[in-house]
Amino acid sequence: MKQITRDLISTLYKPTKEDAHKGTKGHALLVGGSYGKMGSILLSSKAALRTGCGLVTAFVPECGVSILQTAFPEAMAIADDNQKAISSITFDFEPSAIGIGPGMGTEETTEEAFGEFLKSVKGPLVIDADALNILSGKREWLKRVPSTTILTPHPKEFDRLTKTHDTIEARQKSAVAFASEHKVIVVLKGAPTIITNGTETFENTTGNAALATAGSGDVLTGIITSLLAQGYQPLEAAQLGVYLHGLTADIAVSHTGTESFIASDIIGLLGKAFLRIKEYTGKPIGFRN
Ligand SMILES: NC(=O)C1=CN([C@@H]2O[C@H](COP(=O)(O)OP(=O)(O)OC[C@H]3O[C@@H](n4cnc5c(N)ncnc54)[C@H](OP(=O)(O)O)[C@@H]3O)[C@@H](O)[C@H]2O)[C@@H](O)CC1
Ligand SMILES: Nc1ncnc2c1ncn2[C@@H]1O[C@H](COP(=O)(O)OP(=O)(O)O)[C@@H](O)[C@H]1O
Ligand SMILES: [Mg+2]
């Protein structure tokens, strides 16, 4: 297994172009949320914009729109027809990348909506949380998942999708086989997180137990979706995304410790994490690139 090193990240990272505008930095669509779990998709959406894409739209059930637009005015929102859970995923623009699943729930109407969504989805995609849980009950839908889609299960989600594993090593081996069989990228979250496309497997080198907190995976989904929207290739987006996510916790831990760190702190520290990566590249901050 290869390590995600500073050198690898330095070669992946693409600084913002001087002449960029919001229309050239990608438009991320985050689909999820349900009554009582709107925080998850809010966290994903905020993380996406803080990771550098130009525009973010959240597709949420009706009850999520005012929550989202109040808590995060920079994001646009599209309301599902249904009040409390997603029932039909329709939108009238072409997103640069889509992240789906955080807080979405697994109600029957949402399951049907996700099944229809998979029939027509185009372009880069991240599947997380309840979208993975739905897939676990409908494995035949894996055929509909476009190749190079990024799946971001935690160990329990991965076991639901496959089978119970007794050891981390067995689960990692299974993740490689799963990625190869379904032509997807698996980000198997944990301590450490591994990323595999079935041919190559990488172990992340950042992050610590501060990340063991509600919503930290929802934030990761937003980060990776944003990188896809900005034009990073799926494997690169997964590598840079998990590295940045972990780096925020490494930056925080020396002055906050692990206990009080929450998912919003990951989002708040993304700027410092990007600056750290920019230092690795050897170019001074503000260099005209
Ligand atoms: N504010 C909001 O709106 C929030 C909304 N959220 C949303 O809630 C939905 C449900 O997602 P979820 O992940 O909380 O539930 P679920 O899939 O049952 O997994 C939990 C179980 O999995 C296991 N487990 C997890 N990590 C593990 C690890 N590293 N290593 C080993 N085991 C691990 C562990 O199981 P145990 O070991 O206890 O058996 C744990 O009890 C989803 O849509 C999400 O987006 C949340 O993000 C929270 C904030
Ligand atoms: N002890 C730990 N060390 C490093 N990373 C961790 C640790 N615990 C959790 N994480 C990371 O935090 C995230 C948790 O994701 P997830 O379980 O999906 O959270 P949620 O669904 O609440 O958003 C993953 O990226 C995981 O790798
Ligand atoms: Mg999660």
Side-chain angles (χ1 to χ4, degrees):
M1 187 153 20
K2 294 171 195 151
Q3 304 258 304
I4 303 181
T5 59
R6 285 183 184 201
D7 283 351
L8 175 63
I9 291 300
S10 302
T11 59
L12 292 186
Y13 169 64
K14 297 184 191 80
T16 309
K17 293 204 170 74
E18 286 269 316
D19 61 352
H21 59 79
K22 66 178 186 280
T24 59
K25 291 172 70 192
H27 187 166
L29 175 67
L30 279 309
V31 181
S34 56
Y35 184 75
K37 284 192 177 157
M38 213 52 72
S40 51
I41 204 71
L42 178 58
L43 287 166
S44 307
S45 304
K46 267 194 180 178
L49 208 60
R50 285 272 187 214
T51 303
C53 60
L55 297 162
V56 167
T57 296
F59 185 96
V60 291
E62 173 105 50
C63 71
V65 173
S66 59
I67 296 170
L68 208 106
Q69 302 237 266
T70 308
F72 185 31
E74 292 87 350
M76 295 171 278
I78 303 178
D80 190 274
D81 291 340
N82 202 22
Q83 186 65 22
K84 291 190 172 179
I86 287 172
S87 64
S88 172
I89 305 163
T90 52
F91 43 87
D92 59 0
F93 71 102
E94 224 173 273
S96 322
I98 305 176
I100 187 163
M104 192 166 79
T106 56
E107 280 202 19
E108 210 176 311
T109 182
T110 307
E111 186 177 285
E112 281 165 19
F114 180 57
E116 287 304 306
F117 165 84
L118 282 180
K119 282 184 187 167
S120 61
V121 65
K122 283 189 230 63
L125 178 65
V126 181
I127 301 183
D128 182 34
D130 290 325
L132 293 171
N133 292 330
I134 291 173
L135 269 182
S136 300
K138 295 274 182 191
R139 287 184 213 191
E140 66 277 16
W141 289 358
L142 278 163
K143 286 196 217 83
R144 300 182 190 173
V145 172
S147 61
T148 74
T149 291
I150 301 172
L151 275 57
T152 60
H154 61 52
K156 194 149 195 165
E157 286 162 343
F158 185 71
D159 282 8
R160 285 183 191 128
L161 206 51
T162 52
K163 58 174 188 178
T164 305
H165 297 85
D166 295 332
T167 64
I168 292 174
E169 292 73 24
R171 189 175 292 110
Q172 290 181 345
K173 206 172 154 208
S174 220
V176 175
F178 186 92
S180 170
E181 182 184 350
H182 299 289
K183 299 184 175 52
V184 294
I185 292 168
V186 176
V187 173
L188 180 59
K189 297 184 290 195
T193 292
I194 66 148
I195 296 158
T196 180
N197 61 6
T199 313
E200 289 182 292
T201 303
F202 298 85
E203 183 181 78
N204 190 32
T205 54
T206 58
N208 58 68
L211 293 169
T213 182
S216 61
D218 304 331
V219 168
L220 180 66
T221 294
I223 293 173
I224 297 176
T225 306
S226 180
L227 294 170
L228 284 175
Q230 290 170 68
Y232 285 91
Q233 292 306 302
L235 185 62
E236 296 174 348
Q239 290 170 323
L240 182 55
V242 293
Y243 190 93
L244 272 169
H245 182 258
L247 190 52
T248 64
D250 292 346
I251 290 168
V253 81
S254 61
H255 54 95
T256 66
T258 52
E259 288 82 357
S260 78
F261 189 83
I262 60 170
S264 294
D265 296 330
I266 306 173
I267 299 172
L269 282 164
L270 278 167
K272 282 196 174 161
F274 271 113
L275 288 175
R276 186 73 66 84
I277 288 173
K278 202 155 167 116
E279 279 170 22
Y280 304 164
T281 67
K283 291 180 185 171
I285 313 294
F287 183 82
R288 293 178 70 89
N289 36 63

